[in-house]
Amino acid sequence: MSEDHCTIVDVPKPPKAEGPPYAECVLCREPTEYPESYKGITLCPVCEWQEAQRTACSG
């Protein structure tokens, strides 16, 4: 029996916006790449990267 220490969850990303208005990042309130009309959690590129680093498997 193999043990998986990392679980990769395929979370759908919101569609990229064609232009303003952009949704705010839920962490830092900076504009994201996603449309303001998107209902759900949106992160700016910086917070998205930081969140990926926090949740990445370390070994």
Side-chain angles (χ1 to χ4, degrees), residues 3-22:
E3 289 186 34
D4 288 330
H5 295 287
C6 297
T7 302
I8 298 172
V9 179
D10 190 16
V11 178
K13 287 189 160 206
K16 298 271 186 188
E18 296 293 320
Y22 298 109

Side-chain angles (χ1 to χ4, degrees), residues 29-52:
R29 311 304 266 178
E30 290 295 318
T32 67
E33 299 173 336
Y34 308 114
E36 191 175 63
S37 61
Y38 179 76
K39 301 297 179 204
I41 296 172
T42 53
L43 298 174
C44 71
V46 172
C47 290
E48 210 168 73
W49 182 85
Q50 289 173 343
E51 190 64 21

